[in-house]
Amino acid sequence: MVKVTVCGAAGGIGQPLSLMLKMNPYINELSLFDVVNVPGVGTDLSHIDTDTKVSYHLKSDDNNTGLSQALKDSNFVIIPAGVPRKPGMTRDDLFKINAGICSELATGIAETCPDATVLVISNPVNSTVPVFAEVFKKKGIFNPRKLFGVTTLDSVRANTFISEVATNEADKAPSAFNIRVVGGHSGETIVPLFSVCAPHVYALEDEKKIDALVHRVQYGGDEVVQAKNGAGSATLSMAYAGYKFLHAVLAASTGDTTIIESSYVYLDDSIPGAKETKEIIKGLYGGESLDYFAMPVVLSKEGIKEIKSDILSRVNNKEKELLKICCKTLAGNIAKGASFSQ
Ligand code: NAI
């Protein structure tokens, strides 16, 4: 029996994500949690004739026990709860509000389903993942192999945007690419590694075109925020990305050990590849090493099996410069998240 809980299920991401999860063959029970509107979303989804059972819970249910009811027996928890960006805001601006929400949800998970695999979508991911980790550490249940910051949208955008640059070349649809994006999940902390992951794209022999492409991946979220003009940030493409990542995690949980996905993770020394990743980052950055980084990881039944550190030793000089800039900003974002719960 696989139970997945979506926290923030009634939101712009939560609704389309929950719709896709209702159609996922790995999931037996889909539990929807929110502070508002979730009975409507849950009832609507429950009419769909797929086998996944739907339950829904408001925080205020039965003397505020809605969260523990939602989380009871959950194997996976995916979290698109919190406020989205408005024009002029950075992901970092969201921190104060969303860190409080994340801390509350992390406490609920630690108390109700401490063995669950946790996927964090709420921004700023660079800081909210450390909030989860710190709460879990305090509660004595932290398993670094089972905590993921969802950064899949960066790779999704990189695949799409590079395919647009390559439109004059045959067979270069988005599906021809699997661009690994490392670092963090905000502006200059997002580092797409086009030099190591892409089939050759002639247009990218022009340095200016690479720069423009990197910038578009780093700030692709702003295109959506501006186009929505005050009505929020990416929801549909994010729901797709969140679904894609959770589907990979679910597939790996059935025993498939061939799945590699990028995610923002805690670099715990017990995970193969973590020490090597930290050493490379330290060498590039010149400062302290970082405890969190988005990296390609091999997934397994137990969560992260290995961090693919080798990718960082194959980057070109330009990408090394981008990584240096990333590390500086990321160090501050991590410290902010880690100190929130202390
Ligand atoms: P939204 O405002 O449409 O939905 C958020 C939902 O969270 C609402 O239904 C709200 O009632 C709920 N919520 C608020 N407090 C809660 C609590 N304590 N417990 C449970 N639910 C609670 O926002 P949207 O557009 O769905 O974005 C959600 C989050 O995802 C934001 O933080 C946004 O920045 C982030 N995001 C992350 C991306 C990523 O790549 N990781 C991409 C796009 C957005």
Side-chain angles (χ1 to χ4, degrees):
M1 285 296 284
V2 173
K3 176 172 172 180
V4 171
T5 297
V6 183
C7 295
I13 296 167
Q15 290 199 38
L17 174 63
S18 301
L19 171 61
M20 286 188 273
L21 294 176
K22 174 74 171 88
M23 297 186 283
N24 187 287
Y26 292 118
I27 304 173
N28 304 102
E29 185 179 347
L30 181 61
S31 164
L32 309 177
F33 175 76
D34 206 300
V35 291
V36 290
N37 300 336
V38 79
V41 175
T43 304
D44 195 355
L45 286 180
S46 73
H47 289 191
I48 294 174
D49 64 354
T50 56
D51 294 344
T52 308
K53 188 179 149 229
V54 174
S55 62
Y56 54 84
H57 311 268
L58 277 170
K59 183 180 171 183
S60 56
D61 281 352
D62 303 326
N63 294 324
N64 278 324
T65 59
L67 180 58
S68 56
Q69 287 179 40
L71 293 172
K72 191 170 180 294
D73 301 325
S74 293
N75 311 99
F76 301 88
V77 184
I78 186 161
I79 303 164
V83 291
R85 283 192 296 156
K86 301 261 157 64
M89 286 171 94
T90 65
R91 290 187 179 86
D92 223 29
D93 294 332
L94 303 174
F95 180 73
K96 275 203 186 111
I97 305 170
N98 290 351
I101 293 172
C102 288
S103 179
E104 179 186 327
L105 294 172
T107 305
I109 291 167
E111 289 171 357
T112 314
C113 52
D115 294 329
T117 299
V118 178
L119 286 68
V120 182
I121 293 175
S122 311
N123 268 321
V125 165
N126 292 357
S127 308
T128 52
V129 172
V131 169
F132 274 88
E134 289 304 318
V135 172
F136 291 164
K137 281 183 202 168
K138 265 195 196 162
K139 294 275 186 185
I141 60 109
F142 181 44
N143 180 349
R145 290 177 190 260
K146 288 188 166 186
L147 176 62
F148 298 94
V150 182
T151 58
T152 318
L153 186 52
D154 300 323
S155 320
V156 165
R157 285 187 178 131
N159 294 338
T160 305
F161 298 163
I162 193 174
S163 77
E164 290 173 12
V165 176
T167 43
N168 53 344
E169 295 168 32
D171 305 325
K172 296 277 166 57
S175 58
F177 298 95
N178 184 10
I179 306 298
R180 301 293 182 198
V181 182
V182 300
H185 178 63
S186 176
E188 62 193 4
T189 70
I190 298 170
V191 183
L193 301 181
F194 289 113
S195 77
V196 280
C197 313
H200 190 75
V201 170
Y202 292 104
L204 292 187
E205 286 172 9
D206 176 347
E207 288 259 316
K208 278 195 189 137
K209 288 208 170 137
I210 298 191
D211 292 349
L213 189 57
V214 168
H215 187 271
R216 193 169 177 213
V217 175
Q218 292 182 325
Y219 296 94
D222 293 354
E223 287 182 21
V224 183
V225 170
Q226 277 151 23
K228 290 197 174 179
N229 197 18
S233 57
T235 53
L236 301 173
S237 52
M238 181 57 234
Y240 164 79
Y243 178 82
K244 189 179 180 194
F245 185 66
L246 179 52
H247 181 80
V249 171
L250 288 166
S253 74
T254 66
D256 187 340
T257 52
T258 62
I259 303 171
I260 302 176
E261 284 289 331
S262 297
S263 177
Y264 182 70
V265 299
Y266 184 81
L267 301 172
D268 192 78
D269 287 352
S270 68
I271 305 174
K275 272 189 202 157
E276 292 81 353
T277 302
K278 283 202 270 195
E279 279 307 310
I280 299 172
I281 296 169
K282 205 169 164 184
L284 284 169
Y285 176 35
E288 293 284 300
S289 189
L290 304 178
D291 287 336
Y292 298 82
F293 216 66
M295 286 292 287
V297 300
V298 184
L299 298 168
S300 72
K301 260 186 187 166
E302 287 77 35
I304 301 168
K305 183 168 174 250
E306 184 193 340
I307 296 172
K308 300 295 281 178
S309 58
D310 56 304
I311 200 167
L312 292 182
S313 46
R314 292 187 279 130
V315 303
N316 65 20
N317 285 339
K318 201 176 194 74
E319 288 161 349
K320 276 187 192 160
E321 286 310 310
L322 291 172
L323 283 166
K324 270 189 204 165
I325 299 168
C326 152
C327 289
K328 209 170 158 210
T329 305
L330 191 52
N333 295 163
I334 293 169
K336 198 168 172 182
S339 61
F340 180 80
S341 350
Q342 278 153 17

